[in-house]
């Protein structure tokens, strides 16, 4: 299969993973499909009042990346080399809604990414996250190495 198609599959599976975790946490997940604006999705925190959903106005913006670099992670963190222009969008101070980087760490072997069975769906491995807001701006680099914390069972 073509490498660019693998990239598209990785993006789709990473969004599916994050969506599943967010929905299970009782929040609302919204994909953002506009490219190059610095966010891939939004999470709205939903509370319940008298048995009915209530939009609290609390929100997070998400930048979601996928990687299959098993040699660059530990149980506590995953390392991602990202383009500086993407990094700069994540380090800017937010006047309102915070943005976090979520890195979905996938196996090197694409045959292990997803497995379906009668009693379940397995999407390997897990997502790590970090907030880069306020980190140092880099002016003379093409890429930057970022460490994300994890794994997390909820966000």
């Amino acid at each position: 299969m073509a490498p660019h198609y693998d990239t598209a599959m990785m993006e789709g599976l990473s969004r599916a993973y994050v969506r599943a975790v967010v929905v299970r946490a009782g929040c609302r997940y919204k994909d953002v499909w506009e490219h190059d604006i610095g966010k891939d999705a939004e999470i709205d925190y939903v509370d319940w009042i008298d048995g009915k959903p209530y939009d609290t106005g609390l929100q997070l913006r998400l930048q979601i990346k996928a990687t299959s670099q098993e040699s660059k992670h530990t149980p506590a963190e995953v390392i991602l080399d990202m383009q500086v222009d993407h990094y700069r969008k994540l380090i800017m101070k937010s006047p309102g809604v915070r943005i976090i980087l979520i890195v979905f760490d996938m196996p090197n072997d694409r045959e292990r990414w997803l497995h379906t069975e009668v009693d379940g769906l397995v999407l390997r491995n897990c997502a790590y996250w970090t907030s880069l807001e306020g980190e140092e701006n880099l002016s003379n680099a093409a890429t930057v190495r970022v460490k994300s914390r994890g794994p997390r069972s909820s966000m």
Side-chain angles (χ1 to χ4, degrees):
M1 211 168 269
H4 67 278
Y5 188 70
D6 275 2
T7 301
M9 281 195 300
M10 290 172 74
E11 179 181 358
L13 291 172
S14 64
R15 286 178 183 251
Y17 181 97
V18 173
R19 176 189 292 269
V21 173
V22 167
V23 169
R24 179 60 184 98
C27 297
R28 187 171 52 221
Y29 175 96
K30 295 183 283 187
D31 272 313
V32 177
W33 292 101
E34 298 174 43
H35 293 289
D36 298 325
I37 63 169
K39 71 176 175 179
D40 294 316
E42 297 173 346
I43 298 173
D44 293 327
Y45 176 69
V46 178
D47 204 353
W48 291 82
I49 298 175
D50 297 327
K52 296 179 183 171
Y54 168 73
D55 185 350
T56 63
L58 298 174
Q59 188 179 71
L60 273 178
R61 296 177 296 150
L62 309 176
Q63 177 67 52
I64 304 169
K65 301 286 186 191
T67 185
S68 60
Q69 306 175 70
E70 290 177 331
S71 63
K72 290 187 175 181
H73 80 270
T74 69
E77 65 186 14
V78 66
I79 296 170
L80 176 72
D81 294 326
M82 72 182 332
Q83 295 175 357
V84 169
D85 59 330
H86 293 252
Y87 172 80
R88 286 187 184 126
K89 292 175 185 175
L90 297 171
I91 65 171
M92 289 189 286
K93 292 279 188 184
S94 173
V97 181
R98 302 240 2 221
I99 187 163
I100 61 171
L101 171 66
I102 298 177
V103 180
F104 183 51
D105 178 44
M106 302 172 74
N108 287 337
D109 179 2
R110 63 188 301 280
E111 297 301 319
R112 294 188 60 235
W113 290 352
L114 178 73
H115 182 74
T116 58
E117 297 178 7
V118 173
D119 64 342
L121 172 74
V122 177
L123 188 55
R124 294 185 182 90
N125 285 342
C126 68
Y128 296 72
W129 68 273
T130 193
S131 172
L132 297 173
E133 187 176 311
E135 292 289 327
E136 178 184 356
N137 189 4
L138 304 173
S139 59
N140 61 352
T143 61
V144 61
R145 181 157 283 181
V146 175
K147 294 180 181 181
S148 293
R149 298 170 201 86
R152 300 288 185 233
S153 59
S154 63
M155 288 174 232

